[in-house]
Amino acid sequence: MARSLVIKVTAGSDAPERCNQAFTVAAAALASGVPVSLWLTGEASWFALPGRAKEFALPHAAPLDDLLEAVLAGGRVTVCTQCAARREITVDDVIEGVRIAGAPTFVEEALGDGVQALVY
């Protein structure tokens, strides 16, 4: 049975190192052939909007927009329903390929067979 990762990132520009680390781990896992589901919650929800990841900068780190693009190309990206609603982000606002889903979906993914969940 293949293992997979569910990664929840709760930080955005408010905690740039933690945020970038989550995206880096997601992209590295995908590059290694591991299935990845990346959840954007809290301030990370903003990165579901076009152009927002490009505005993020962290010295000595891979550009967030490149990491997000890699995850979108090979994995799944989800924005938390409540987090999106609090920020007035709708399905019409997000980057193509990003979905909005709630806690029941996160729990279902995180408790799947062979799944490792990480929270940043």
Side-chain angles (χ1 to χ4, degrees):
M1 169 177 26
R3 295 210 44 183
S4 62
L5 275 176
V6 174
I7 300 172
K8 179 186 266 194
V9 56
T10 63
S13 297
D14 57 326
E17 288 182 293
R18 187 163 32 115
C19 175
N20 192 270
Q21 187 175 36
F23 280 83
T24 299
V25 169
L30 281 165
S32 298
V34 176
V36 172
S37 177
L38 179 66
W39 282 73
L40 307 177
T41 67
E43 287 302 296
S45 302
W46 293 114
F47 298 123
L49 299 177
R52 290 292 183 103
K54 192 163 189 67
E55 296 171 0
F56 180 93
L58 180 64
H60 309 289
L64 199 68
D65 59 329
D66 291 348
L67 297 171
L68 177 57
E69 185 177 310
V71 177
L72 282 168
R76 173 182 286 156
V77 178
T78 306
V79 179
C80 160
T81 301
Q82 290 181 10
C83 301
R86 280 189 283 276
R87 290 159 181 81
E88 299 182 359
I89 297 171
T90 70
V91 67
D92 295 327
D93 299 322
V94 298
I95 298 166
E96 185 177 340
V98 173
R99 69 178 178 161
I100 297 175
T105 304
F106 176 79
V107 170
E108 181 181 350
E109 284 187 16
L111 295 178
D113 289 337
V115 175
Q116 174 69 51
L118 304 173
V119 178
Y120 288 87

